[in-house]
Amino acid sequence: MTFSVTEIYNHVDDKMRARRDVLYGLESGALPGGPEKYLLDSPRGYWTRPDEDLTDPHSWHLFDTIKEMISAAEHSVDVVTMDEPGGFLYSAVRVGLAAIAERAAPVKVRILIGRSLPHGVIKPEVKLKELADDLRRYAGRKLQIAFGEYRFQMASWGHAKFVAVDGKHLITGGHNLWGYAYLHKEPVLDLSMRYEGPIARGAHRFANGLWGFVKKHNTGMGSTHGFVMDEKLQMKRAVFDDFAIGSSPSTALAGAPPMLWVTNPGWGIFLDGTKPYVDNSFVHAFVKAMEGGSWCRLSQQDLAATWRASDRDFSILDRTRQGLQDYPYDLLACQNCYFIRPLVDAMAAFLNRREDNWIELVASPEKKAGRGYTNKIPPSALFNIVGNRMWELSGRKLKKAEIFGKLSRQLYFGIVSFSGGRQTWHTDKSPKYNHAKFWMVDDVFYVGSENFYPSTAPLMPPGLLQEFGVVAQATAETKKAILERYFTPLRTHSVENKVDIRYLTWNEAGEDEESAAVAAGE
């Protein structure tokens, strides 16, 4: 059994030098109802069915959950997503807002968009006018709405995805509010979770921090804008004051286990890029979880990103040099791919520690076509870097043949597929892609927005995105549901990438002192 969520929180708290009130925290929470209510996977239950059965649209449980939560709001709603929302998932937000207006509830709603570099800017006032058209018919409405977008310079924007209501209800995970990506033909596969209880306060606090940046830079210039619409549908450039969720630990939800909300503060949003920022609660949480446990399951888009071709294989990119001052971790270079060092080292140490420890990973394919939710990382690069770090962490005592044997037995790396190895959609032959951000170590699991790969870009310095997610302790019933309804079908029907000893390309003998020091990170 791995460490408890409370022990993981204590580790994060010890390691972080950050603003606890907006960047991480321990709360209590519960998973409401049965797994059909809290396990928001999409498309749900199509692993063994013909692709032709994927009706258009489908996965309506996502629409229903968002609509239900927002419709019942009493005072506060936060919607945070990346890039312009659209389609049925954004319609769920709009229908929920109309329900609030119809019952004349005095609710404040904040909708915040992290606007990525390739997509320019949107006009929040235009989005508010669309909402005004929805709400005009409700004469007794008391609903007030803030709509904003933000980006710091060129390389840092919000990647978090959550809906939080009244400090009591939360949906978070990999789903953006893009109905076209999830509810129609050829959908990307994804996962979010629904939580009840004070854990939702963490999302509101993180949103407070993000909106603080909008407030500070809401000048009408650049890529950061915020507008407010009052109950009379009148608009002005402004933002709401922070939602009064509170910063002290809340009273635990009766009978509910502790949950840890974790984030990546990204670059520039909380410190405006003026100081090095070297903390990431998401990474600290995973590293601590992997120090215990006997197995790890991962559902990810990718484990690496491509950046620049000039760095030597197995070198460590120190965050304090080489343009990485604002990164919260060092990177590992391998085959022009860049891995987050503490995550890879945690995996390597985990496999080294015991012969019966094992990791199962399901990710997107290397091939990129159509919409392309993949970084095109060759499987050889993952086996190569994990194997190299196993060698380094063993004090270079393990031989390649031993490492190859351990990787063959202890690391499964599959590509997302449906039954029978159906890796592409029958309609347009595009690959199936995985967009989930999920890890589970024994009975502790994470669902959120943060990928296992660094959010690098070919810029100097590279950027970093804002992320949010929840680390939770699974009961026996929850663990069974997550595995049987989600991960086991995902893994069973995936197509395996088998390790080849030729993938392990480092030099075991004869390295000079300089290359050895580079490989060791010295």
Side-chain angles (χ1 to χ4, degrees):
M1 179 178 294
T2 189
F3 294 101
S4 69
V5 168
T6 301
E7 290 171 317
I8 293 171
Y9 165 76
N10 290 335
H11 174 79
V12 170
D13 199 43
D14 179 62
K15 293 293 183 181
M16 290 281 285
R17 298 186 296 277
R19 294 169 57 191
R20 184 187 304 176
D21 59 326
V22 295
L23 295 182
Y24 67 99
L26 189 68
E27 295 282 4
S28 61
L31 300 171
E36 70 282 351
K37 291 274 288 183
Y38 64 74
L39 187 64
L40 304 178
D41 54 327
S42 66
R44 176 184 284 174
Y46 284 91
W47 302 105
T48 59
R49 293 163 60 180
D51 289 348
E52 291 85 346
D53 285 355
L54 204 64
T55 54
D56 187 10
H58 55 84
S59 300
W60 280 105
H61 58 283
L62 297 173
F63 177 96
D64 292 338
T65 303
I66 294 170
K67 179 190 71 172
E68 173 193 335
M69 274 182 43
I70 293 177
S71 296
E74 298 174 355
H75 53 79
S76 305
V77 175
D78 268 314
V79 177
V80 174
T81 189
M82 186 180 83
D83 282 332
E84 188 167 0
F88 283 117
L89 291 188
Y90 185 49
S91 295
V93 174
R94 295 172 70 165
V95 171
L97 297 181
I100 295 172
E102 184 175 21
R103 59 187 176 85
V107 176
K108 286 187 174 181
V109 176
R110 302 187 296 191
I111 303 173
L112 184 59
I113 310 302
R115 193 59 166 161
S116 64
L117 179 61
H119 293 97
V121 298
I122 61 175
K123 294 183 178 180
E125 65 273 32
V126 173
K127 304 301 290 186
L128 279 175
K129 287 178 181 177
E130 294 175 355
L131 298 179
D133 290 340
D134 295 342
L135 304 175
R136 206 174 304 278
R137 72 189 72 176
Y138 305 108
R141 62 185 175 271
K142 299 179 182 178
L143 180 64
Q144 300 179 63
I145 304 174
F147 202 112
E149 68 165 352
Y150 76 96
R151 182 170 71 236
F152 178 67
Q153 295 182 359
M154 291 193 299
S156 178
W157 55 83
H159 192 253
K161 308 112 174 26
F162 60 80
V163 178
V165 176
D166 296 336
K168 299 177 181 178
H169 314 282
L170 172 65
I171 303 168
T172 190
H175 291 98
N176 289 294
L177 293 178
W178 306 340
Y180 53 85
Y182 299 108
L183 304 185
H184 299 281
K185 295 178 181 179
E186 305 94 34
V188 60
L189 281 69
D190 216 331
L191 175 68
S192 294
M193 295 287 282
R194 180 177 181 175
Y195 304 93
E196 299 291 309
I199 185 62
R201 291 158 45 115
H204 289 300
R205 291 179 196 155
F206 191 53
N208 281 345
L210 299 178
W211 276 101
F213 178 84
V214 178
K215 183 176 183 179
K216 186 174 182 179
H217 299 278
N218 195 16
T219 62
M221 303 294 290
S223 306
T224 300
H225 307 273
F227 283 78
V228 168
M229 182 171 70
D230 64 20
E231 60 272 18
K232 297 180 180 179
L233 308 183
Q234 297 173 334
M235 283 174 273
K236 63 180 179 179
R237 183 179 293 276
V239 303
F240 292 143
D241 291 334
D242 284 355
F243 281 176
I245 303 301
S247 58
S248 61
S250 64
T251 302
L253 189 67
M259 293 183 177
L260 169 63
W261 58 278
V262 292
T263 70
N264 188 335
W267 181 45
I269 302 305
F270 291 90
L271 291 177
D272 288 339
T274 59
K275 299 177 183 177
Y277 208 95
V278 293
D279 288 312
N280 180 332
S281 52
F282 165 83
V283 168
H284 289 311
F286 178 76
V287 169
K288 184 61 177 179
M290 289 290 278
E291 290 178 2
S294 57
W295 55 257
C296 172
R297 289 172 163 107
L298 298 165
S299 178
Q300 298 286 324
Q301 179 177 309
D302 290 290
L303 265 75
T306 54
W307 182 21
R308 61 193 186 198
S310 59
D311 292 297
R312 179 175 177 170
D313 274 5
F314 315 119
S315 65
I316 293 172
L317 280 68
D318 190 326
R319 66 183 177 216
T320 64
R321 298 176 295 166
Q322 300 161 311
L324 297 173
Q325 291 93 335
D326 294 286
Y327 260 63
Y329 37 64
D330 296 337
L331 302 182
L332 294 168
C334 184
Q335 298 171 220
N336 300 334
C337 302
Y338 293 84
F339 298 81
I340 297 174
R341 179 187 178 182
L343 299 185
V344 173
D345 279 0
M347 295 169 66
F350 184 82
L351 296 177
N352 275 354
R353 189 165 63 246
R354 285 173 38 172
E355 290 294 325
D356 57 350
N357 277 7
W358 49 267
I359 298 171
E360 291 181 334
L361 161 68
V362 181
S364 288
E366 179 184 358
K367 180 180 178 181
K368 184 169 184 176
R371 290 143 295 144
Y373 290 83
T374 175
N375 294 334
K376 300 191 291 186
I377 306 302
S380 58
L382 173 66
F383 289 118
N384 202 5
I385 195 64
V386 172
N388 177 263
R389 298 309 296 172
M390 292 170 68
W391 179 59
E392 291 287 353
L393 295 176
S394 74
R396 301 190 176 186
K397 294 178 181 178
L398 285 174
K399 301 297 182 183
K400 276 188 183 178
E402 295 176 278
I403 292 173
F404 169 72
K406 288 175 70 64
L407 291 174
S408 300
R409 296 186 304 271
Q410 296 175 254
L411 176 59
Y412 175 88
F413 179 16
I415 298 303
V416 67
S417 175
F418 285 2
S419 60
R422 289 177 288 144
Q423 293 182 264
T424 59
W425 297 107
H426 74 290
T427 47
D428 65 357
K429 305 305 178 185
S430 64
K432 293 181 171 74
Y433 292 112
N434 189 17
H435 192 247
K437 300 92 169 63
F438 165 86
W439 57 259
M440 190 172 198
V441 181
D442 286 16
D443 57 357
V444 169
F445 67 94
Y446 167 91
V447 177
S449 70
E450 187 152 6
N451 293 295
F452 260 48
Y453 61 86
S455 50
T456 54
L459 303 167
M460 290 298 287
L464 194 65
L465 311 184
Q466 288 73 54
E467 311 281 6
F468 179 90
V470 172
V471 179
Q473 197 94 38
T475 64
E477 182 180 1
T478 300
K479 179 178 176 179
K480 183 174 184 289
I482 292 173
L483 295 180
E484 290 186 355
R485 297 175 67 107
Y486 175 68
F487 192 86
T488 298
L490 176 78
R491 189 261 189 247
T492 299
H493 301 297
S494 62
V495 176
E496 183 177 8
N497 291 309
K498 291 188 177 292
V499 62
D500 189 314
I501 197 166
R502 291 174 295 182
Y503 293 165
L504 311 183
T505 62
W506 65 89
N507 184 7
E508 282 186 306
E511 290 189 285
D512 58 36
E513 290 184 5
E514 180 182 357
S515 62
V518 168
E522 298 172 1

